[in-house]
Amino acid sequence: MIDNKLIELVNITKRYDGNTVIDELNLYIRENEFLTLLGPSGCGKTTTLRIIGGFETPDEGKVLFNGKDITKLPPNERQLNTVFQKYALFTHMTIAENIAFGLKIKKKSREYIKDKIKYALKLVNLDGYENRMPDSLSGGQQQRIAIARAIVNEPKVLLLDEPLGALDLKLRQDMQYELIRLKNELGITFVYVTHDQEEALTMSDTIMVMNQGYIQQIGSPEDIYNEPKNAFVADFIGESNIISSTMVQDKLVNILGADFPCVDTGFGQNTPVDVVIRPEDIDLVAPENGIITGRVTSLIFKGVHYEMEVMANGYEWLVHSTDMASVGSEVGIRVDPFDIQIMNKPESEDEKATAGEL
Amino acid sequence: MKKKNTILLSTPYGLWMLGFTIIPLLMVVGYGLTSRSDGSFTLDNIRLIASPENRRALWLSVRLSLLSTLFCLLIAYPLAMVLRNMKFKSNSLLVMLFIMPMWINSLLRIVAWQNILERKGVLNTLLQFLHLPAVNIINSPAAIVLGMVYDFLPFMILPLYNTLVKIDENVINAAHDLGAGNFHTFTRIIFPLSIPGVISGITMVFVPSLTTFVISDILGGSKVLLIGNVIEQQFQKLANWHSGSGLSLVLMLFVLLSMALVAKYDKGEGSANVW
Amino acid sequence: MVKLKRFGQKLYLALVILFLYAPIFVLVGLSFNSSKSRSKWGGFTTKWYRSMFSNDTILAALRDTLIIALLSALFATLLGTVAAIGINRMKKLPRAMMLGVTNIPMLNAEIVTGISLMLLFLALKLELGFWTVLLSHTSFNVPYVILSVLPKLKQTNRSTYEAALDLGAKPLRAFFAVVLPDIFPGVLSGFLLAFTLSLDDFIITHFTRGNSVSTLSTLIYSETRKGIKPEMYALSTLLFVSVLVLLIFINRAGAKQEKKRLQQNAA
């Protein structure tokens, strides 16, 4: 990946009616990157996208594009295009007219426009739909048209605001692959907003997790999943056991009264910490082989694996395993040292939100 | 309830409409096409429209109602855009603001305009106070147009506002995003999307303007006769139902023509539903 | 720049509102004018508000206007709601025909509607008066009720009605228990619209009233030549103020309810 900062947000702050939605946010987006802004609703991710798109002006801070300040530039003069939530197609125009809209504004030749429409429809697998009206298309098809309409303008960056939110599960998964393919074919930068962690993990090069207007963590999907910076990220990305514990010394943590070996160092001695253990990283063994023992309280078959809850040392452990243990049976719990993720405890509520800021 | 029985629930209404809408209209047709003296078929009542004074009245009606419709559109469209941009949390307050005046009897409000526009009326007193030249439009077509615009303006504002406010903000954002400035966004996106409201507003202003006799009566004195006044006089003063009906048929024809013309541009649902 | 634009927009809004309310201010002013001539200000008085209550002509017209508006709105609501339920279940073609007929009185010129009804009543040898006006008003009100109720019926979930039947309710009971509450806002707004239209109607009343009954509209019309009685201004001002107060009250109550709902949702 070329290490070229295409877009940079510098100290962006945005308030609505006195509420701070984004607080001193700093972020850069590299050329050709698939960046996902991930977070619960109201976390500021859509506002961030709209600031990049030019639909909102930040109260403080700057937006740089290729090093140039575009903070005050109106959307129609920016070299990027947006795929909107619920598509925002022009319902009074045919599909071809929708796609041609931006090109006509730029006064491109008739031939050029015709070729572009053809190319774009082929790209989104909807050849021959030129003369249909948007209302006659399914949600998934409208979605593709919205993408086609944006990309014919050859933007440097495509902004996508929860584009798959209105589609059903199966279609959503298909469209994820479609988007990855498109991105590779076009070779442009994608900035993608979603609240769906699975979508983010599947498609992104980089994920930025946001909460309450602050960046919680920026990293690759693997980093975010395996090494969450704080409890919020751990909880938001996938299911996990987050347990209040004590770091006894380097490479040893006391969880619920039992000492577990781990690989982390540098937390000091007898320091209170939060421990994250993914449910699939817990090994259920014979009681005598476990570091701690507990009793299975529930068992659900999930297809690929079993989901179990194990009551051990006063905590309900969530366990995913391909081996099953029947309800009521006694089991031992083991966790490999490198599967235990240690995090500093936030000192206050406020820090909880800012803990991951870079 | 079975489906068939449910459908039968609309029978009383169907009969009612037959008795109180369709048959009465057929009676107008009947009277309009028959002679007063012997009841035989004739087109004489329709031909009455060709007399110089009736033709003048019809022509004036068409011109004034076109003008008032145009003014209503010119005033209401920017207003509806302003209201859209203000983004009211609930539009009940807004609707209230424009419907409230309708709770004062419309005749009385037109009478009040008479008061405002009179030679020594409110407006001229005000103008005199400001050392501006007086305006003398009472008892003239200008006053009638003003009355029409006044009386029917809300019928233009509300359908326009209703269609404009339904346009998704992101559709407008998308137009900007694709490179369109304010001008192109308006001409290519906003205006085309608002056409159902425009159509509905036009019909709701044009038809009552074309057929009024009250506004012209009050603001035109007895000097200006519209086709509505002519018909009203046939019935109330001359009690000539045949000629009155004949002229009504001509009026209905004009209303139908104008609606057909307008409907050609209206692809959507029935325009009355915009209300 | 942006500020200037905002200011311009507000100014424009204010001007249009001034235009719409100017005659109302004049009417209110006239109701306090002690001079009987409307073009002269003779000083402030409230005497018209007092004499209004002893003016039998005005009081009778007010009474008849209200009775006709109330009854015609009630009949129209009943007839229209029942009809809408039937129309809602119709197939495309008969439905389109019914809606077409429904549109006639709404789109037709009022003067033609008035004339046609007058011709009908005279042909039926009915004496023009209270009852013919009531029939006419009901007639032009029904379509508005239907068009208010139909959209609500379309939104109504049919399975709730079927669930009520499934749970053992008789059709009529199921209707009152399940369907009516659902469409009630439409029924109510249809009723209010009908009431308002009837209250303000002049043209159709003018042709169907004969000489035995007067509404406020026809009374005003007959007075336009010889001059409106100042009591009429007083009455209108009173009506306007009471409607204003009522609307503000309803709006407040609505806002409070909305706030409560939002708070409950947040909790």
Side-chain angles (χ1 to χ4, degrees):
Chain A
M1 198 177 297
I2 318 153
D3 210 353
N4 177 12
K5 294 178 185 173
L6 186 62
I7 296 176
E8 230 182 315
L9 303 187
V10 186
N11 278 326
I12 297 284
T13 299
K14 178 77 188 171
R15 298 179 204 94
Y16 288 121
D17 309 324
N19 289 333
T20 305
V21 188
I22 299 177
D23 202 352
E24 298 201 3
L25 179 133
N26 285 287
L27 169 73
Y28 61 84
I29 302 160
R30 282 175 301 222
E31 207 164 327
N32 222 349
E33 186 174 20
F34 195 129
L35 172 79
T36 298
L37 312 184
L38 176 67
S41 61
C43 73
K45 56 188 192 300
T46 294
T47 308
T48 308
L49 192 82
R50 290 170 64 83
I51 286 173
I52 301 174
F55 306 113
E56 306 274 357
T57 321
D59 294 313
E60 282 158 42
K62 276 190 298 190
V63 183
L64 304 180
F65 188 87
N66 260 338
K68 260 184 287 178
D69 188 345
I70 59 161
T71 319
K72 295 253 157 66
L73 205 64
N76 49 331
E77 291 171 32
R78 297 192 182 199
Q79 278 182 308
L80 29 84
N81 287 114
T82 310
V83 176
F84 291 90
Q85 238 171 41
K86 295 188 207 133
Y87 331 131
L89 294 179
F90 305 136
T91 48
H92 61 297
M93 296 180 181
T94 63
I95 297 307
E97 285 167 340
N98 263 280
I99 297 175
F101 186 84
L103 301 172
K104 279 189 188 155
I105 297 281
K106 293 188 192 79
K107 301 216 158 48
K108 299 284 187 193
S109 77
R110 193 179 278 253
E111 272 312 293
Y112 178 87
I113 293 178
K114 218 174 143 193
D115 288 349
K116 269 289 185 186
I117 293 173
K118 221 170 167 155
Y119 158 78
L121 283 177
K122 206 176 176 88
L123 200 66
V124 296
N125 287 329
L126 285 175
D127 332 47
Y129 277 68
E130 280 89 344
N131 295 320
R132 298 274 292 269
M133 296 303 279
D135 288 342
S136 72
L137 267 53
S138 71
Q141 289 170 331
Q142 290 191 34
Q143 177 57 69
R144 287 155 196 257
I145 298 303
I147 294 169
R149 183 178 69 176
I151 59 181
V152 288
N153 302 287
E154 299 178 358
K156 288 256 173 65
V157 183
L158 193 62
L159 309 177
L160 302 107
D161 186 6
E162 305 238 11
L164 309 185
L167 305 180
D168 60 39
L169 182 66
K170 179 79 182 68
L171 206 53
R172 206 154 63 212
Q173 286 167 343
D174 291 345
M175 278 304 289
Q176 289 175 15
Y177 294 112
E178 197 91 336
L179 281 172
I180 297 171
R181 178 181 67 80
L182 267 175
K183 158 122 188 5
N184 292 337
E185 271 180 48
L186 293 167
I188 58 174
T189 309
F190 274 36
V191 182
Y192 191 96
V193 161
T194 183
H195 64 268
D196 183 323
Q197 41 114 353
E198 191 207 312
E199 237 170 72
L201 294 173
T202 312
M203 297 191 287
S204 323
D205 299 318
T206 310
I207 297 176
M208 173 175 115
V209 185
M210 283 185 84
N211 191 31
Q212 295 177 12
Y214 294 100
I215 299 176
Q216 302 294 318
Q217 186 172 359
I218 298 182
S220 70
E222 291 85 353
D223 286 349
I224 302 265
Y225 188 83
N226 293 328
E227 285 161 44
K229 278 252 165 63
N230 58 33
F232 174 81
V233 177
D235 195 39
F236 195 75
I237 308 280
E239 290 172 296
S240 53
N241 299 287
I242 303 171
I243 309 165
S244 185
S245 311
T246 312
M247 199 72 185
V248 181
Q249 60 186 61
D250 279 358
K251 300 191 179 181
L252 193 67
V253 60
N254 184 292
I255 303 172
L256 303 168
D259 284 344
F260 281 72
C262 63
V263 294
D264 299 73
T265 56
F267 283 88
Q269 292 191 347
N270 294 320
T271 319
V273 291
D274 279 328
V275 160
V276 175
I277 304 171
R278 296 288 178 192
E280 65 272 22
D281 291 335
I282 296 174
D283 300 321
L284 293 187
V285 294
E288 58 275 19
N289 294 335
I291 298 176
I292 56 175
T293 57
R295 202 170 284 281
V296 179
T297 56
S298 89
L299 170 74
I300 300 165
F301 179 57
K302 286 275 187 174
V304 190
H305 59 78
Y306 293 93
E307 181 176 296
M308 287 164 280
E309 279 172 352
V310 178
M311 193 63 182
N313 292 21
Y315 182 82
E316 195 118 88
W317 297 68
L318 184 69
V319 181
H320 290 172
S321 171
T322 47
D323 302 322
M324 97 172 208
S326 51
V327 174
S329 62
E330 192 158 333
V331 291
I333 288 179
R334 290 193 71 90
V335 186
D336 284 334
F338 49 83
D339 283 333
I340 295 177
Q341 169 73 15
I342 311 280
M343 303 175 306
N344 271 316
K345 265 197 173 312
E347 271 169 25
S348 65
E349 271 308 298
D350 199 35
E351 201 178 327
K352 211 174 195 168
T354 57
E357 203 183 349
L358 292 182
Chain B
M1 228 179 290
K2 292 225 180 71
K3 192 170 174 180
K4 217 171 197 170
N5 295 344
T6 315
I7 289 174
L8 285 180
L9 284 176
S10 58
T11 323
Y13 171 67
L15 291 175
W16 182 283
M17 289 308 270
L18 185 71
F20 289 102
T21 300
I22 296 173
I23 291 177
L25 282 179
L26 290 178
M27 290 183 68
V28 175
V29 177
Y31 274 103
L33 295 178
T34 51
S35 146
R36 193 184 190 186
S37 48
D38 56 5
S40 62
F41 175 81
T42 176
L43 288 175
D44 286 350
N45 301 317
I46 310 264
R47 275 194 211 110
L48 271 180
I49 197 65
S51 82
E53 53 277 27
N54 289 350
R55 216 168 45 197
R56 203 181 314 130
L58 179 65
W59 176 229
L60 188 64
S61 291
V62 170
R63 273 188 319 174
L64 296 192
S65 47
L66 279 177
L67 264 181
S68 70
T69 309
L70 183 70
F71 282 128
C72 277
L73 191 61
L74 288 180
I75 296 172
Y77 207 103
L79 183 80
M81 288 291 283
V82 168
L83 294 174
R84 188 201 129 82
N85 291 342
M86 292 180 110
K87 298 196 178 65
F88 286 88
K89 276 192 191 115
S90 72
N91 51 13
S92 64
L93 180 80
L94 174 85
V95 171
M96 215 171 96
L97 202 60
F98 291 100
I99 293 199
M100 269 308 288
M102 292 193 216
W103 278 84
I104 291 241
N105 194 291
S106 57
L107 284 184
L108 211 52
R109 282 180 292 137
I110 298 295
V111 170
W113 271 110
Q114 198 180 18
N115 230 38
I116 296 174
L117 297 175
E118 266 168 343
R119 223 167 236 290
K120 287 181 180 166
V122 178
L123 182 66
N124 281 338
T125 313
L126 210 69
L127 288 174
Q128 200 182 13
F129 180 75
L130 296 169
H131 297 289
L132 289 169
V135 173
N136 279 317
I137 58 167
I138 190 73
N139 298 340
S140 77
I144 296 176
V145 172
L146 189 139
M148 289 172 173
V149 171
Y150 174 79
D151 213 11
F152 307 129
L153 186 61
F155 297 99
M156 185 67 94
I157 295 174
L158 292 174
L160 276 180
Y161 172 73
N162 280 341
T163 46
L164 282 176
V165 87
K166 274 191 205 123
I167 299 176
D168 185 356
E169 194 62 42
N170 270 346
V171 167
I172 292 167
N173 281 340
H176 286 305
D177 184 77
L178 295 166
N182 288 333
F183 176 75
H184 280 140
T185 306
F186 179 78
T187 55
R188 298 200 184 167
I189 305 296
I190 299 176
F191 187 73
L193 285 174
S194 71
I195 282 181
V198 174
I199 302 266
S200 151
I202 288 178
T203 21
M204 291 178 79
V205 174
F206 183 73
V207 174
S209 301
L210 184 69
T211 60
T212 183
F213 64 90
V214 180
I215 296 172
S216 41
D217 230 17
I218 299 175
L219 293 177
S222 41
K223 290 177 188 162
V224 188
L225 281 189
L226 296 184
I227 187 68
N229 300 84
V230 175
I231 294 174
E232 198 260 349
Q233 285 176 3
Q234 291 291 341
F235 277 92
Q236 299 297 61
K237 294 222 173 82
L238 309 172
N240 190 340
W241 303 347
H242 293 267
S243 53
S245 295
L247 293 174
S248 299
L249 285 179
V250 177
L251 190 63
M252 270 163 77
L253 195 71
F254 264 78
V255 171
L256 280 177
L257 266 178
S258 67
M259 285 197 306
L261 205 70
V262 154
K264 240 181 84 173
Y265 296 95
D266 186 13
K267 293 182 213 156
E269 284 247 313
S271 46
N273 295 349
V274 180
W275 250 68
Chain C
M1 204 32 216
V2 175
K3 256 192 187 157
L4 198 70
K5 207 173 144 192
R6 286 261 164 80
F7 176 74
Q9 290 186 342
K10 283 204 177 125
L11 183 72
Y12 187 66
L13 180 64
L15 281 175
V16 176
I17 288 176
L18 179 71
F19 176 62
L20 287 176
Y21 282 81
I24 294 174
F25 297 145
V26 171
L27 290 176
V28 174
L30 287 173
S31 76
F32 293 109
N33 181 10
S34 70
S35 159
K36 250 195 169 177
S37 152
R38 59 173 194 205
S39 45
K40 241 188 359 226
W41 178 252
F44 182 86
T45 179
T46 54
K47 69 177 171 195
W48 309 121
Y49 286 86
R50 270 172 279 130
S51 62
M52 180 184 96
F53 289 103
S54 49
N55 186 326
D56 290 338
T57 326
I58 285 188
L59 288 183
L62 175 65
R63 189 197 60 214
D64 288 343
T65 306
L66 289 177
I67 292 176
I68 288 169
L70 196 67
L71 287 182
S72 72
L74 268 177
F75 292 154
T77 307
L78 204 67
L79 197 60
T81 307
V82 171
I85 293 166
I87 293 174
N88 189 47
R89 297 290 312 270
M90 281 181 176
K91 290 215 181 72
K92 219 172 176 183
L93 188 69
R95 185 191 159 91
M97 274 169 57
M98 273 307 227
L99 289 180
V101 174
T102 303
N103 273 326
I104 296 177
M106 297 198 349
L107 298 175
N108 199 1
E110 270 184 87
I111 183 171
V112 178
T113 307
I115 287 166
S116 68
L117 284 167
M118 178 182 98
L119 290 177
L120 175 81
F121 295 139
L122 292 176
L124 293 174
K125 306 259 186 293
L126 288 174
E127 200 183 326
L128 296 183
F130 179 86
W131 291 103
T132 51
V133 173
L134 183 59
L135 279 173
S136 307
H137 280 218
T138 307
S139 195
F140 74 71
N141 276 336
V142 187
Y144 291 93
V145 175
I146 290 184
L147 290 187
S148 307
V149 175
L150 260 186
K152 291 282 165 202
L153 272 172
K154 258 190 214 165
Q155 288 165 18
T156 303
N157 188 349
R158 229 193 113 61
S159 32
T160 56
Y161 170 71
E162 280 165 359
L165 293 184
D166 183 69
L167 294 169
K170 292 220 169 70
L172 209 59
R173 171 96 190 252
F175 171 78
F176 279 107
V178 178
V179 181
L180 190 62
D182 243 17
I183 62 172
F184 191 71
V187 176
L188 185 68
S189 72
F191 174 83
L192 287 176
L193 191 58
F195 184 79
T196 316
L197 288 169
S198 167
L199 212 57
D200 200 44
D201 176 72
F202 165 70
I203 296 178
I204 291 167
T205 318
H206 178 66
F207 286 104
T208 53
R209 78 186 179 98
N211 273 322
S212 58
V213 70
S214 275
T215 63
L216 288 175
S217 293
T218 59
L219 188 61
I220 293 165
Y221 187 71
S222 65
E223 283 178 357
T224 46
R225 291 282 147 75
K226 45 190 172 157
I228 307 274
K229 298 233 164 53
E231 285 92 346
M232 192 59 89
Y233 302 132
L235 175 65
S236 300
T237 305
L238 268 185
L239 284 178
F240 183 72
V241 170
S242 25
V243 171
L244 189 69
V245 169
L246 191 72
L247 281 181
I248 289 173
F249 185 74
I250 291 174
N251 217 44
R252 276 264 178 95
K256 250 186 202 160
Q257 235 169 26
E258 179 69 11
K259 206 172 159 192
K260 226 184 206 168
R261 198 179 61 79
L262 287 176
Q263 278 168 349
Q264 274 168 354
N265 280 1

